[in-house]
Amino acid sequence: MVDFLASCIVAGTPLALATLGELITEKSGSTNLGVEGMMLMGAVMGFLAALNTSNAGAAMLAAAVAGAAGALIFGILTVTLRANQIVCGLTLTIFGTGFSQFVGQPLLGTAAPSAVTAFFSKISLPLLGDIPVIGPIFFRQDIFVYLSYIFCILAAVYMYRTRPGMNMKALGESNAAADASGINVNLYKYVHIVIGGALCGLGGAYLSLVRMPIWQENIVNGRGWIAVALVIFVAWNPIKGLFGAALFGGLSILGLKLQAMGFNISQYLVDMIPYVATILIVIFSTYKKRKESQPPADLGNNYFREER
Protein backbone atom coordinates (compact mmCIF):
# COMPACT_ATOMS: atom_id res chain seq x y z
CA MET A 1 0.00 0.00 0.00
CA VAL A 2 2.84 2.41 0.84
CA ASP A 3 4.42 1.78 -2.56
CA PHE A 4 1.08 2.43 -4.27
CA LEU A 5 0.57 5.71 -2.41
CA ALA A 6 4.10 6.78 -3.31
CA SER A 7 3.29 5.99 -6.93
CA CYS A 8 0.15 8.14 -6.65
CA ILE A 9 2.36 11.12 -5.75
CA VAL A 10 4.56 10.47 -8.79
CA ALA A 11 1.59 10.06 -11.14
CA GLY A 12 -0.01 13.19 -9.70
CA THR A 13 3.03 15.48 -10.00
CA PRO A 14 2.38 16.64 -13.60
CA LEU A 15 -1.23 17.25 -12.62
CA ALA A 16 -0.16 19.22 -9.53
CA LEU A 17 2.07 21.53 -11.57
CA ALA A 18 -0.51 22.05 -14.32
CA THR A 19 -3.32 22.55 -11.81
CA LEU A 20 -1.28 25.14 -9.93
CA GLY A 21 -0.51 26.94 -13.19
CA GLU A 22 -4.17 27.12 -14.20
CA LEU A 23 -5.20 28.03 -10.65
CA ILE A 24 -2.88 31.06 -10.64
CA THR A 25 -4.15 32.09 -14.06
CA GLU A 26 -7.78 31.84 -13.02
CA LYS A 27 -7.24 33.62 -9.73
CA SER A 28 -6.04 36.62 -11.74
CA GLY A 29 -9.31 36.55 -13.69
CA SER A 30 -8.35 34.69 -16.89
CA THR A 31 -9.63 31.32 -18.08
CA ASN A 32 -6.93 29.59 -20.12
CA LEU A 33 -8.15 26.27 -21.48
CA GLY A 34 -4.86 25.77 -23.30
CA VAL A 35 -3.30 23.77 -20.45
CA GLU A 36 -3.02 20.64 -22.60
CA GLY A 37 -1.23 22.58 -25.34
CA MET A 38 1.19 24.28 -22.95
CA MET A 39 2.03 20.95 -21.32
CA LEU A 40 2.76 19.44 -24.72
CA MET A 41 4.96 22.40 -25.66
CA GLY A 42 6.86 22.06 -22.40
CA ALA A 43 7.17 18.30 -22.82
CA VAL A 44 8.68 18.43 -26.31
CA MET A 45 10.96 21.43 -25.74
CA GLY A 46 12.19 20.04 -22.43
CA PHE A 47 12.93 16.71 -24.08
CA LEU A 48 14.67 18.39 -27.02
CA ALA A 49 16.81 20.50 -24.68
CA ALA A 50 17.71 17.38 -22.70
CA LEU A 51 18.87 15.61 -25.87
CA ASN A 52 20.98 18.56 -27.00
CA THR A 53 22.55 19.46 -23.66
CA SER A 54 22.25 16.38 -21.42
CA ASN A 55 21.57 18.93 -18.69
CA ALA A 56 18.49 18.56 -16.50
CA GLY A 57 18.46 22.23 -15.52
CA ALA A 58 18.51 23.35 -19.16
CA ALA A 59 15.69 20.91 -19.95
CA MET A 60 13.52 22.25 -17.14
CA LEU A 61 14.24 25.84 -18.16
CA ALA A 62 13.37 25.11 -21.79
CA ALA A 63 10.11 23.48 -20.73
CA ALA A 64 9.15 26.41 -18.52
CA VAL A 65 9.99 28.92 -21.27
CA ALA A 66 7.97 26.97 -23.84
CA GLY A 67 4.93 26.85 -21.57
CA ALA A 68 5.35 30.54 -20.75
CA ALA A 69 5.61 31.40 -24.47
CA GLY A 70 2.32 29.63 -25.16
CA ALA A 71 0.72 31.48 -22.26
CA LEU A 72 2.14 34.79 -23.52
CA ILE A 73 0.40 34.24 -26.85
CA PHE A 74 -2.83 33.70 -24.93
CA GLY A 75 -2.16 36.85 -22.89
CA ILE A 76 -1.58 39.03 -25.96
CA LEU A 77 -4.79 37.80 -27.54
CA THR A 78 -7.00 38.13 -24.48
CA VAL A 79 -5.48 40.94 -22.41
CA THR A 80 -4.26 43.31 -25.12
CA LEU A 81 -6.56 42.40 -28.01
CA ARG A 82 -9.46 41.34 -25.72
CA ALA A 83 -10.28 38.23 -27.77
CA ASN A 84 -12.60 35.56 -26.38
CA GLN A 85 -10.73 33.62 -23.69
CA ILE A 86 -12.43 30.28 -24.27
CA VAL A 87 -11.75 30.32 -28.00
CA CYS A 88 -8.13 31.39 -27.49
CA GLY A 89 -7.55 28.67 -24.91
CA LEU A 90 -8.94 25.96 -27.17
CA THR A 91 -6.87 27.31 -30.06
CA LEU A 92 -3.75 27.19 -27.87
CA THR A 93 -4.42 23.52 -27.16
CA ILE A 94 -4.68 22.79 -30.88
CA PHE A 95 -1.52 24.82 -31.56
CA GLY A 96 0.42 23.11 -28.77
CA THR A 97 -0.63 19.67 -30.02
CA GLY A 98 0.49 20.45 -33.57
CA PHE A 99 3.70 22.07 -32.34
CA SER A 100 4.66 19.02 -30.27
CA GLN A 101 3.96 16.67 -33.18
CA PHE A 102 5.99 18.80 -35.61
CA VAL A 103 9.00 19.19 -33.32
CA GLY A 104 8.74 15.70 -31.86
CA GLN A 105 8.31 13.75 -35.09
CA PRO A 106 12.08 13.12 -35.54
CA LEU A 107 12.36 12.20 -31.85
CA LEU A 108 9.83 9.35 -31.79
CA GLY A 109 11.17 6.41 -29.79
CA THR A 110 14.24 8.34 -28.61
CA ALA A 111 15.15 7.92 -24.95
CA ALA A 112 16.14 10.81 -22.71
CA PRO A 113 19.89 11.00 -21.94
CA SER A 114 20.98 8.89 -18.99
CA ALA A 115 22.56 11.93 -17.32
CA VAL A 116 19.14 13.59 -17.20
CA THR A 117 17.22 10.54 -16.01
CA ALA A 118 19.89 9.93 -13.36
CA PHE A 119 19.47 13.51 -12.12
CA PHE A 120 15.77 12.83 -11.58
CA SER A 121 16.29 9.58 -9.66
CA LYS A 122 14.64 9.32 -6.27
CA ILE A 123 16.28 11.00 -3.28
CA SER A 124 15.46 10.31 0.34
CA LEU A 125 15.40 13.55 2.33
CA PRO A 126 17.43 13.36 5.56
CA LEU A 127 15.27 12.65 8.64
CA LEU A 128 11.99 13.22 6.74
CA GLY A 129 12.54 10.15 4.59
CA ASP A 130 12.90 8.01 7.71
CA ILE A 131 9.49 8.87 9.16
CA PRO A 132 7.38 5.69 9.23
CA VAL A 133 4.77 5.46 6.44
CA ILE A 134 4.82 9.18 5.62
CA GLY A 135 8.53 9.22 4.78
CA PRO A 136 8.45 6.59 2.01
CA ILE A 137 5.31 8.15 0.50
CA PHE A 138 6.22 11.85 0.46
CA PHE A 139 9.94 12.19 1.09
CA ARG A 140 11.62 9.50 -1.00
CA GLN A 141 10.82 11.04 -4.35
CA ASP A 142 12.61 12.83 -7.18
CA ILE A 143 13.49 16.53 -7.27
CA PHE A 144 10.54 17.35 -9.52
CA VAL A 145 8.14 16.06 -6.85
CA TYR A 146 9.83 18.16 -4.19
CA LEU A 147 9.58 21.20 -6.46
CA SER A 148 5.83 20.63 -6.78
CA TYR A 149 5.57 20.69 -2.96
CA ILE A 150 7.57 23.92 -2.79
CA PHE A 151 5.64 25.63 -5.58
CA CYS A 152 2.28 24.80 -4.00
CA ILE A 153 3.38 26.06 -0.57
CA LEU A 154 4.87 29.23 -2.05
CA ALA A 155 1.69 29.84 -4.04
CA ALA A 156 -0.43 29.49 -0.90
CA VAL A 157 1.77 31.93 1.03
CA TYR A 158 1.74 34.32 -1.92
CA MET A 159 -2.03 34.22 -2.34
CA TYR A 160 -3.02 34.51 1.30
CA ARG A 161 -0.14 36.34 2.99
CA THR A 162 1.27 38.92 0.57
CA ARG A 163 -0.02 42.18 -0.89
CA PRO A 164 0.71 41.22 -4.54
CA GLY A 165 -1.18 37.98 -3.95
CA MET A 166 -4.15 39.86 -2.56
CA ASN A 167 -4.01 42.19 -5.56
CA MET A 168 -4.03 39.18 -7.87
CA LYS A 169 -7.16 37.81 -6.19
CA ALA A 170 -8.77 41.24 -6.38
CA LEU A 171 -8.44 41.10 -10.16
CA GLY A 172 -10.37 37.87 -10.25
CA GLU A 173 -13.18 39.33 -8.20
CA SER A 174 -13.48 42.67 -10.05
CA ASN A 175 -11.14 44.07 -12.68
CA ALA A 176 -12.76 47.50 -12.48
CA ALA A 177 -12.50 47.72 -8.69
CA ALA A 178 -8.87 46.58 -8.78
CA ASP A 179 -8.08 49.21 -11.42
CA ALA A 180 -9.83 51.92 -9.39
CA SER A 181 -7.68 51.01 -6.38
CA GLY A 182 -4.48 51.60 -8.35
CA ILE A 183 -3.60 48.04 -9.39
CA ASN A 184 -2.04 47.71 -12.86
CA VAL A 185 -4.59 45.25 -14.24
CA ASN A 186 -2.83 44.35 -17.50
CA LEU A 187 0.58 43.90 -15.86
CA TYR A 188 -0.80 41.62 -13.15
CA LYS A 189 -2.71 39.57 -15.70
CA TYR A 190 0.31 39.12 -17.96
CA VAL A 191 2.62 38.13 -15.10
CA HIS A 192 0.27 35.52 -13.67
CA ILE A 193 -0.76 34.13 -17.06
CA VAL A 194 2.91 33.64 -17.99
CA ILE A 195 3.79 32.10 -14.61
CA GLY A 196 0.84 29.74 -14.99
CA GLY A 197 2.06 28.72 -18.44
CA ALA A 198 5.58 28.06 -17.15
CA LEU A 199 4.20 25.71 -14.49
CA CYS A 200 2.14 23.88 -17.11
CA GLY A 201 5.27 23.51 -19.24
CA LEU A 202 7.11 21.98 -16.28
CA GLY A 203 4.21 19.58 -15.78
CA GLY A 204 4.61 18.41 -19.36
CA ALA A 205 8.37 18.07 -18.95
CA TYR A 206 7.87 15.77 -15.96
CA LEU A 207 6.07 13.34 -18.25
CA SER A 208 8.72 13.35 -20.98
CA LEU A 209 11.80 13.45 -18.73
CA VAL A 210 10.82 11.45 -15.64
CA ARG A 211 7.54 9.59 -15.93
CA MET A 212 8.01 8.23 -19.47
CA PRO A 213 11.51 9.30 -20.62
CA ILE A 214 11.05 8.07 -24.20
CA TRP A 215 9.44 10.53 -26.61
CA GLN A 216 6.02 9.58 -27.91
CA GLU A 217 3.25 11.56 -29.53
CA ASN A 218 0.49 12.95 -27.31
CA ILE A 219 2.48 12.13 -24.21
CA VAL A 220 0.25 14.37 -22.07
CA ASN A 221 -2.78 12.28 -23.04
CA GLY A 222 -5.55 14.54 -21.72
CA ARG A 223 -3.97 15.42 -18.38
CA GLY A 224 -4.32 19.11 -19.20
CA TRP A 225 -8.10 18.79 -19.24
CA ILE A 226 -8.03 16.90 -15.96
CA ALA A 227 -5.98 19.77 -14.48
CA VAL A 228 -8.65 22.27 -15.56
CA ALA A 229 -11.30 20.22 -13.75
CA LEU A 230 -9.03 19.79 -10.72
CA VAL A 231 -8.90 23.56 -10.25
CA ILE A 232 -12.65 23.48 -9.67
CA PHE A 233 -12.44 20.35 -7.52
CA VAL A 234 -9.89 21.91 -5.13
CA ALA A 235 -11.79 25.21 -5.00
CA TRP A 236 -8.84 27.28 -6.26
CA ASN A 237 -6.70 26.27 -3.26
CA PRO A 238 -3.03 25.40 -4.02
CA ILE A 239 -2.54 23.06 -1.05
CA LYS A 240 -5.72 21.16 -1.83
CA GLY A 241 -4.50 21.06 -5.42
CA LEU A 242 -1.46 19.04 -4.37
CA PHE A 243 -3.58 16.37 -2.72
CA GLY A 244 -6.24 16.47 -5.42
CA ALA A 245 -3.55 15.80 -8.02
CA ALA A 246 -2.29 12.82 -6.00
CA LEU A 247 -5.86 11.49 -5.87
CA PHE A 248 -6.24 11.68 -9.63
CA GLY A 249 -2.75 10.31 -10.08
CA GLY A 250 -3.89 7.32 -8.07
CA LEU A 251 -6.98 6.92 -10.25
CA SER A 252 -4.78 6.89 -13.35
CA ILE A 253 -2.72 3.94 -12.06
CA LEU A 254 -5.45 2.16 -10.10
CA GLY A 255 -6.32 -0.11 -13.00
CA LEU A 256 -2.70 -1.20 -13.43
CA LYS A 257 -2.51 -1.94 -9.71
CA LEU A 258 -5.67 -4.05 -9.85
CA GLN A 259 -4.37 -5.92 -12.90
CA ALA A 260 -1.10 -6.61 -11.07
CA MET A 261 -3.16 -8.05 -8.21
CA GLY A 262 -4.76 -10.52 -10.60
CA PHE A 263 -8.06 -8.79 -11.37
CA ASN A 264 -9.15 -9.25 -14.97
CA ILE A 265 -10.10 -5.71 -15.98
CA SER A 266 -10.33 -4.34 -19.51
CA GLN A 267 -7.55 -1.90 -20.33
CA TYR A 268 -10.11 0.37 -22.00
CA LEU A 269 -12.06 0.55 -18.76
CA VAL A 270 -8.84 1.29 -16.88
CA ASP A 271 -8.05 4.18 -19.23
CA MET A 272 -11.53 5.63 -18.68
CA ILE A 273 -11.30 5.91 -14.88
CA PRO A 274 -9.63 9.36 -14.48
CA TYR A 275 -11.78 10.93 -17.21
CA VAL A 276 -15.04 9.59 -15.80
CA ALA A 277 -13.97 10.99 -12.44
CA THR A 278 -13.27 14.34 -14.13
CA ILE A 279 -16.80 14.44 -15.56
CA LEU A 280 -18.27 13.59 -12.16
CA ILE A 281 -16.26 16.38 -10.53
CA VAL A 282 -17.52 18.95 -13.02
CA ILE A 283 -21.10 17.81 -12.39
CA PHE A 284 -20.62 17.82 -8.63
CA SER A 285 -19.08 21.28 -8.69
CA THR A 286 -22.30 22.76 -10.06
CA TYR A 287 -24.03 21.85 -6.79
CA LYS A 288 -21.48 23.53 -4.53
CA LYS A 289 -23.02 26.57 -2.90
CA ARG A 290 -20.35 27.51 -0.36
CA LYS A 291 -18.75 30.87 -1.01
CA GLU A 292 -15.19 29.54 -0.77
CA SER A 293 -15.99 26.96 -3.45
CA GLN A 294 -17.15 29.50 -6.02
CA PRO A 295 -14.94 30.70 -8.90
CA PRO A 296 -13.60 34.27 -8.98
CA ALA A 297 -16.52 36.57 -9.74
CA ASP A 298 -14.88 38.24 -12.76
CA LEU A 299 -13.34 35.06 -14.17
CA GLY A 300 -13.19 34.97 -17.96
CA ASN A 301 -14.21 38.60 -18.49
CA ASN A 302 -11.92 40.79 -20.58
CA TYR A 303 -11.32 44.26 -19.18
CA PHE A 304 -11.29 47.56 -21.06
CA ARG A 305 -10.70 50.59 -18.87
CA GLU A 306 -12.86 52.90 -21.00
CA GLU A 307 -15.88 50.67 -20.37
CA ARG A 308 -15.51 50.92 -16.60
Side-chain angles (χ1 to χ4, degrees), residues 64 119 173 210 224 238:
F119 180 83
E173 297 303 324
V210 184

Side-chain angles (χ1 to χ4, degrees), residues 75-88:
I76 292 171
L77 291 172
T78 59
V79 178
T80 301
L81 302 178
R82 300 191 298 280
N84 184 282
Q85 294 183 18
I86 303 301
V87 173
C88 291

Side-chain angles (χ1 to χ4, degrees), residues 45-62 110-120 209:
M45 293 308 294
F47 192 85
L48 185 62
L51 286 179
N52 289 327
T53 66
S54 294
N55 185 289
M60 293 173 69
L61 178 61
T110 305
S114 57
V116 174
T117 55
F119 180 83
F120 292 121
L209 297 176

Side-chain angles (χ1 to χ4, degrees), residues 201-255:
L202 286 173
Y206 186 80
L207 292 168
S208 62
L209 297 176
V210 184
R211 192 90 173 91
M212 297 170 279
I214 298 177
W215 182 253
Q216 54 187 285
E217 282 193 1
N218 195 28
I219 195 169
V220 176
N221 195 28
R223 288 177 177 85
W225 298 109
I226 294 177
V228 173
L230 263 173
V231 173
I232 302 171
F233 177 61
V234 303
W236 292 267
N237 184 304
I239 301 301
K240 290 181 181 179
L242 189 63
F243 292 99
L247 171 62
F248 268 75
L251 290 175
S252 68
I253 63 173
L254 178 61

